[in-house]
Structure formats: C-alpha cells, structure tokens
C-alpha cells in the first residue's frame, strides 16, 4: 500500500500527473485543484496517496494534504459517489470550503461539481453534515444557526430575518452568516426588523 510519493514531476495528463520517483514513473490521478497547484515538470513534488486495488487495475490518487485525502475517502462512503465524483467535488471545493458547505447545508455549492446534481448534493449534505464541523473553519455559531433554520427550530425573528435577506437577493449561506454575526451583539429577543437592519449593515461591510 502506497501512502505517500515524493519525486520529480515528469509530465501532466488531463486528470493525472506522472511523478518520477527514483526512475519509476507513477501515474497519479488528482483533482483539478491539486493539479493546478503542483509545480512544472522537472521540479520536486510530494503527494499523499490513496491506493485503489481492483482485480484488473491498481490506481493511485494524489492529494496535496491529508485533509484532502480524508475527504476523498469520506465522500465515497455516500451511495452513488465513486472516485471520479469525489475528485470532481474536490476540484470545485478545497477541504475547508467543502466542510463548511456540508456543515451549513450549502447544497448549491456542492452541486457545482460536474456529475453532482441537486439530489446527490442533498444526500452528501445530509450524510456528511455531522462529520463536517471537525474540518470546517466556519464559525460554530453559523453552523448551529443553519442547522436550526434547516430543522425549523430557529427563533421566528431569526428565521424571518434570514428569509428577508434571501428575498433581497443574498445567497442563503451569506444571509445566515450575517445574521449569525449580528446575533452575537444584538439585544436579546431582537425583532426581525432589527436583525434585518443589522444584517444588511453587516453585509455592506
């Protein structure tokens, strides 16, 4: 089992890099984001590796960080997600952004990945939501608030304020983030109109 490769970049393909390790060229499949961040041919590089072994094939997948590799594994625990879709998701969202999208239920961000429709994005968000906060740089208050809105347990003024901001054209995640921020300093039991005003002020920063 190969866990890491360190060598010289030999060449690139559409979705892979050939890494020369002491004269042996390893074909390593990567997300588009990882490929873009690797150096040009002739320069050194190292990748965390996930090895998939089948009866007719051994395939290596490479990652710039252990966190990216971990998400590659986690994504594939969801029904309908194979290595190709997992790499597509990681091509669109780096690990921190993916964790935040899952933790906050931002299905639109996940569905931007090729091969991921709204239904699969919803399944990913539902099944991986509980695992995402540990990897996410997002404010825990934002994660808690978006969960409460999704489950309809948020206080009515809060839900109404977020809904109003969304109706004004702000994305759901952006509206939720603004309200999560203002709730930290807003008077206890603030009315929706107060939260909307403060939220708009936050969004204008």
């Amino acid at each position: 089992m190969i866990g890491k490769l360190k060598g010289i970049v030999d060449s690139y393909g559409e979705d892979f890099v050939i890494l020369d390790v002491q004269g042996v060229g390893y074909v390593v499949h990567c997300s588009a984001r990882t490929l873009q961040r690797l150096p040009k041919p002739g320069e050194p590089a190292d990748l965390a590796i996930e090895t998939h072994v089948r009866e007719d094939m051994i395939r290596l997948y490479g990652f710039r960080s252990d966190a990216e590799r971990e998400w590659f594994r986690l994504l594939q625990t969801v029904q309908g997600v194979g290595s190709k879709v997992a790499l597509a998701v990681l091509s669109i969202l780096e690990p921190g952004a993916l964790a935040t999208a899952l933790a906050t239920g931002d299905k639109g961000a996940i569905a931007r990945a090729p091969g991921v429709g709204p239904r699969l994005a919803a399944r990913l968000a539902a099944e991986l939501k509980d695992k995402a906060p540990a990897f996410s740089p997002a404010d825990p208050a934002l994660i808690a608030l978006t969960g409460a809105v999704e489950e309809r347990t948020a206080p009515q003024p809060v839900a109404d304020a977020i809904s109003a901001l969304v109706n004004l054209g702000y994305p759901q995640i952006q509206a939720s983030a603004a309200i999560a921020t203002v709730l930290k300093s807003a008077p206890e039991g603030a009315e929706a109109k107060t939260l909307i005003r403060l939220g708009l002020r936050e969004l204008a920063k």
Side-chain angles (χ1 to χ4, degrees):
M1 186 69 70
I2 298 173
K4 181 179 180 180
L5 286 176
K6 185 175 184 178
I8 304 297
V9 174
D10 180 87
S11 58
Y12 287 100
E14 184 178 351
D15 64 347
F16 65 86
V17 59
I18 296 180
L19 198 62
D20 186 327
V21 182
Q22 298 181 346
V24 178
Y26 291 89
V27 177
V28 184
H29 296 267
C30 305
S31 69
R33 183 179 293 275
T34 292
L35 289 174
Q36 290 165 5
R37 294 183 177 181
L38 287 174
K40 61 186 179 182
E43 295 187 357
D46 60 88
L47 290 166
I49 299 296
E50 179 77 1
T51 307
H52 282 192
V53 180
R54 291 190 348 208
E55 289 183 7
D56 59 341
M57 177 189 70
I58 297 176
R59 180 166 286 197
L60 304 179
Y61 297 92
F63 309 93
R64 293 282 285 164
S65 67
D66 289 339
E68 187 185 13
R69 178 173 60 184
E70 185 62 25
W71 273 115
F72 179 72
R73 293 168 176 168
L74 283 171
L75 286 166
Q76 291 179 83
T77 64
V78 176
Q79 184 181 1
V81 178
S83 57
K84 184 176 181 180
V85 171
L87 284 182
V89 172
L90 290 168
S91 293
I92 297 297
L93 297 166
E94 53 87 19
L98 172 59
T100 298
L102 290 168
T104 58
D106 188 1
K107 297 180 281 290
I110 304 166
R112 292 190 353 246
V116 179
R119 185 175 297 177
L120 182 54
R123 190 186 308 149
L124 283 164
E127 295 189 24
L128 299 179
K129 182 178 181 179
D130 291 342
K131 299 176 182 178
F135 297 89
S136 175
D139 185 344
L142 169 59
I143 295 174
L145 177 60
T146 53
V149 171
E150 182 99 4
E151 295 164 11
R152 300 188 177 184
T153 57
Q156 198 59 47
V158 172
D160 289 345
I162 293 173
S163 178
L165 294 178
V166 170
N167 289 338
L168 288 172
Y170 292 99
Q172 174 88 27
I173 185 63
Q174 197 174 351
S176 297
I179 297 302
T181 299
V182 304
L183 280 173
K184 295 176 181 179
S185 56
E188 188 174 347
E191 295 182 357
K193 61 181 181 181
T194 301
L195 295 176
I196 294 167
R197 186 180 74 253
L198 293 173
L200 287 170
R201 189 180 302 166
E202 180 67 24
L203 289 164
K205 288 182 179 179

